Amino acid sequence: MPSNINGNKTGMPLSHTIKVVHSDQKWNEYDSSILEKFLESLSSDLSTEYVNIPEVVEKIHTGIPDEITTEELINLVAETLASMTTRHYQYSVVASRVLSHHLQKRLPQTFSANFTAMYKYDLASSNERKNTVISTEVYQFILENKDAIDSAIRPIRDFDIDYFGLRTLERSYFLKIDGKIHELPSMFL
């Protein structure tokens, strides 16, 4: 299907600009063709017989407000995909990949760098003693074995878990800083 003037391939004209606001308060115009390419890249190893990316993009388009943050857009995309899991489980895999991709972009690239950030974060800066997310003993162990641990972590494994498994990890198991997830599934696998 050809794109309209806004780059929209869903067949639904965009009658107005939809702003996607980033964490640095800069924004850009929503472009469904970029979303479609992104989702296709995350689902390239899955069967197009079961996962219909253009249909997903169209569903997202119908639910998107005039202004949305990047975080909200990522959740809208993942939740839309997850809602289609009743058609085929591979939608759940793509939903999880969207969230995992976002986490990978937001967090430090290595296990040791990530846990260094968690160790340095002070949970309660008003306390006299350092109150960290991880203990000094655990942090020392990570530093002493940093090369072995970092080389054992395979970020591609973040894409092996489905949406409901990832959401369970987020809700109940992952360590958080300021309410934001600070771990990846590959750190558990």
Side-chain angles (χ1 to χ4, degrees):
M1 182 179 297
S3 298
N4 72 9
I5 52 176
N6 290 324
N8 178 8
K9 292 172 106 177
T10 65
M12 300 178 66
L14 293 176
S15 57
H16 58 282
T17 300
I18 297 172
K19 287 173 56 172
V20 180
V21 182
H22 305 287
S23 59
D24 61 4
Q25 298 307 308
K26 293 181 182 175
W27 68 274
N28 63 326
E29 189 175 331
Y30 168 77
D31 184 343
S32 63
S33 65
I34 292 171
L35 176 61
E36 188 167 346
K37 287 176 188 167
F38 172 65
L39 293 176
E40 285 171 352
S41 73
L42 292 178
S43 61
S44 63
D45 62 328
L46 303 176
S47 173
T48 55
E49 178 182 350
Y50 303 115
V51 178
N52 184 338
I53 297 301
E55 182 183 358
V56 172
V57 172
E58 189 170 325
K59 279 181 169 270
I60 292 164
H61 177 78
T62 61
I64 198 166
D66 293 344
E67 185 172 309
I68 189 167
T69 66
T70 305
E71 196 80 27
E72 291 168 337
L73 180 58
I74 288 162
N75 283 313
L76 175 63
V77 171
E79 289 168 8
T80 301
L81 284 156
S83 74
M84 298 174 77
T85 300
T86 56
R87 291 193 195 169
H88 199 275
Y89 74 91
Q90 288 182 348
Y91 284 105
S92 178
V93 173
V94 181
S96 174
R97 289 176 180 182
V98 167
L99 297 172
S100 291
H101 180 269
H102 178 63
L103 282 171
Q104 285 180 345
K105 286 179 65 175
R106 191 172 56 74
L107 297 177
Q109 294 299 305
T110 64
F111 182 90
S112 60
N114 192 40
F115 276 76
T116 295
M118 284 193 273
Y119 179 73
K120 290 181 178 179
Y121 178 76
D122 190 359
L123 287 173
S125 56
S126 61
N127 282 351
E128 289 182 26
R129 70 176 185 80
K130 183 129 175 97
N131 190 10
T132 62
V133 176
I134 60 172
S135 71
T136 301
E137 294 80 18
V138 169
Y139 181 61
Q140 288 303 318
F141 178 83
I142 291 168
L143 289 180
E144 290 166 9
N145 298 285
K146 151 183 172 161
D147 293 334
I149 294 170
D150 286 345
S151 67
I153 304 295
R154 301 278 182 256
I156 193 74
R157 292 181 184 155
D158 292 333
F159 300 121
D160 291 343
I161 192 168
D162 73 2
Y163 176 81
F164 302 102
L166 181 62
R167 286 299 198 195
T168 300
L169 288 173
E170 285 180 347
R171 215 176 21 261
S172 303
Y173 299 99
F174 283 161
L175 295 174
K176 298 173 184 163
I177 292 180
D178 291 331
K180 291 191 175 203
I181 304 300
H182 224 277
E183 288 186 281
L184 294 163
S186 59
M187 295 177 184
F188 278 66
L189 302 174

